[in-house]
């Protein structure tokens, strides 16, 4: 997949929400209606092909179709989204540069990266939080575990058990640490750069378990070489019999947190443009293309409004920070 994708369409944008528009002052209304005046760039804080990249492209296609303006997705992988975040911070706050990153960039990097050069509250404004779906813990079929308890019992009896994560300092890493704390285990977190190699190693028997997205886990699930024993936050429709960590007795607050892909703009972006963008993201759930994409990811929640996104950040960021502090500084 190319690192930059140009999405072309020329249909005119139809202003959504007459009531919202009426609240704008005359100059603001003119500015909102005249935007965009040039191509929109979405910085995707991951390599091409990952969930962050896919979200940026699917929603980029939708924005382009609705706005009648070119949308360009640029992959800026590195340091859990910090590379993309720094570029967004330097961008003009005119609504023509956005960023899509996963939870790590917003919730974990500020705690785990020493001397981090960006601040989420000070440098960015929320456009939309897009729930990323529950993550799943898959265990090698050789172990024979069918539930979280089965796997915990195995880990207690076995001298060395390793669990794959998609990155050091990630949510997956944090979950493993929290399980170790609650159950008095010493499971080793094995960190990968992305999910694909982790699931390949689980299928090949190099690791005992892996923790990641349901969609990315499909190849190993289809082989039957691994079995899901627990999912985070809420049950997955396609895995109705797999209970959540909380339902199976795991008590850490980590298991109830929302993992997501978040879209933000530079902090001083005109609020009327941010509001227009937010309305577009929320309305994208009406698109067949977007609904099909979310279904393929095992996600049954659409984008949240700007206000709801900000409220979620305010509520959960302190919890992420407290839990992430237990990981200690991570190599970048």
């Amino acid at each position: 997949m190319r690192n930059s994708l140009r999405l072309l369409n020329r249909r005119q944008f139809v202003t959504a929400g007459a009531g919202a528009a009426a609240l704008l002052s005359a100059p603001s209304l003119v500015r909102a209606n005249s935007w965009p005046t040039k191509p929109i760039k979405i910085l995707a804080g991951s390599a091409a092909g990952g969930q962050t990249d896919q979200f940026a492209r699917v929603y980029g296609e939708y924005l382009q179709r609705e706005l009648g303006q070119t949308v360009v997705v640029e992959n800026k992988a590195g340091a859990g989204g910090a590379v993309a975040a720094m570029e967004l911070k330097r961008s003009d706050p005119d609504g023509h540069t956005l960023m899509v990153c996963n939870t790590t960039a917003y919730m974990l990097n500020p705690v785990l990266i020493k001397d981090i050069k960006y601040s989420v509250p000070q440098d960015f404004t929320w456009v939309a939080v897009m729930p990323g779906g529950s993550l799943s813990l898959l265990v090698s079929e050789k172990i024979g575990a069918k539930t979280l308890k089965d796997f915990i019992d195995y880990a207690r009896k076995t001298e060395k058990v390793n669990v794959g994560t998609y990155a050091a300092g990630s949510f997956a890493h944090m979950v493993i640490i929290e399980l170790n704390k609650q159950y008095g285990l010493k499971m080793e977190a094995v960190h990968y750069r992305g999910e694909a190699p982790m699931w390949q190693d689980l299928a090949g028997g190099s690791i005992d378990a892996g923790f990641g997205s349901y969609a990315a886990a499909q190849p190993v699930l289809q082989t039957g070489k691994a079995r899901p024993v627990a999912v985070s936050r809420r049950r997955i429709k396609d895995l109705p019999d797999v209970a959540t960590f909380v339902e199976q007795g795991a008590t850490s607050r980590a298991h109830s947190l929302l993992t997501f892909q978040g879209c933000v703009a530079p902090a001083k972006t005109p609020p009327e443009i941010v509001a227009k963008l937010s309305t577009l993201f929320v309305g994208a759930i009406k698109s067949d293309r977007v609904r099909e994409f979310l279904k393929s990811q095992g996600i049954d929640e659409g984008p949240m409004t700007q206000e709801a996104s900000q409220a979620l950040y305010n509520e959960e960021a302190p919890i992420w920070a407290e839990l992430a502090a237990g990981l200690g500084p991570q190599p970048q």
Side-chain angles (χ1 to χ4, degrees):
M1 186 177 294
R2 294 176 299 171
N3 283 347
S4 178
L5 174 63
R6 294 187 178 272
L7 309 167
L8 303 177
N9 197 308
R10 294 302 178 201
R11 285 202 293 162
Q12 294 298 315
F13 172 72
V14 179
T15 303
L23 298 177
L24 300 174
S25 65
S28 295
L29 181 58
V30 170
R31 183 163 51 185
N33 285 341
S34 64
W35 170 91
T37 59
K38 60 182 180 180
I40 295 171
K41 178 166 63 176
I42 300 179
L43 304 171
S46 74
Q51 190 186 67
T52 297
D53 173 71
Q54 293 178 54
F55 264 79
R57 292 173 189 277
V58 167
Y59 283 92
E61 290 173 359
Y62 179 80
L63 290 180
Q64 179 171 282
R65 185 170 65 251
E66 295 298 308
L67 292 170
Q69 180 59 269
T70 302
V71 175
V72 180
V73 175
E74 292 187 4
N75 297 96
K76 296 291 180 179
V83 172
M86 287 304 301
E87 179 161 338
L88 184 70
K89 179 180 177 179
R90 295 189 293 265
S91 300
D92 292 333
D94 58 5
H96 292 94
T97 305
L98 309 173
M99 179 179 75
V100 171
C101 279
N102 65 22
T103 323
T104 299
Y106 305 113
M107 303 297 206
L108 296 178
N109 281 353
V111 180
L112 300 179
I113 298 180
K114 184 179 180 181
D115 300 324
I116 193 167
K117 302 299 183 182
Y118 70 88
S119 164
V120 176
Q122 295 177 17
D123 297 324
F124 308 134
T125 185
W126 287 99
V127 172
V129 159
M130 297 164 280
S134 294
L135 303 186
S136 54
L137 175 65
L138 269 61
V139 177
S140 171
E141 54 87 20
K142 295 184 296 185
I143 292 176
K146 296 182 179 180
T147 65
L148 179 63
K149 181 180 182 301
D150 292 342
F151 182 56
I152 295 301
D153 289 344
Y154 173 83
R156 283 198 175 110
K157 299 173 185 176
T158 307
E159 183 175 343
K160 185 175 182 181
V161 172
N162 48 50
V163 183
T165 83
Y166 46 83
S170 63
F171 176 66
H173 186 185
M174 187 166 68
V175 165
I176 296 168
I177 295 296
E178 291 301 303
L179 289 174
N180 280 342
K181 286 180 181 178
Q182 178 176 346
Y183 295 103
L185 305 175
K186 295 182 180 180
M187 294 187 294
E188 178 185 359
V190 180
H191 306 302
Y192 293 81
R193 293 188 175 184
E195 291 192 61
M198 175 184 73
W199 296 128
Q200 289 172 4
D201 276 4
L202 179 58
S206 299
I207 55 177
D208 299 307
F211 187 75
S213 68
Y214 167 73
Q218 286 304 300
V220 68
L221 282 171
Q222 291 168 4
T223 66
K225 294 183 177 180
R227 182 197 302 268
V229 299
V231 295
S232 65
R233 188 170 171 261
R234 59 190 297 179
R235 294 199 184 199
I236 298 173
K237 284 185 177 180
D238 290 346
L239 300 173
D241 296 328
V242 180
T244 67
F245 284 98
V246 172
E247 288 174 325
Q248 298 186 71
T251 57
S252 171
R253 289 184 293 176
H255 305 307
S256 298
L257 292 172
L258 176 69
T259 57
F260 59 82
Q261 301 291 338
C263 180
V264 295
K268 295 182 180 180
T269 302
E272 62 273 13
I273 293 178
V274 175
K276 192 171 180 179
L277 276 164
S278 181
T279 298
L280 282 166
F281 269 85
V282 172
I285 195 65
K286 299 176 183 177
S287 161
D288 290 340
R289 171 76 174 97
V290 172
R291 287 200 303 270
E292 290 170 2
F293 167 71
L294 295 178
K295 183 178 179 181
S296 74
Q297 300 289 308
I299 299 170
D300 55 12
E301 300 173 88
M304 299 166 62
T305 66
Q306 178 189 7
E307 294 76 15
S309 299
Q310 182 65 61
L312 175 78
Y313 176 79
N314 293 343
E315 179 181 353
E316 295 200 348
I319 301 174
W320 283 90
E322 180 182 340
L323 293 169
L327 298 176
Q330 300 297 311
Q332 301 298 327

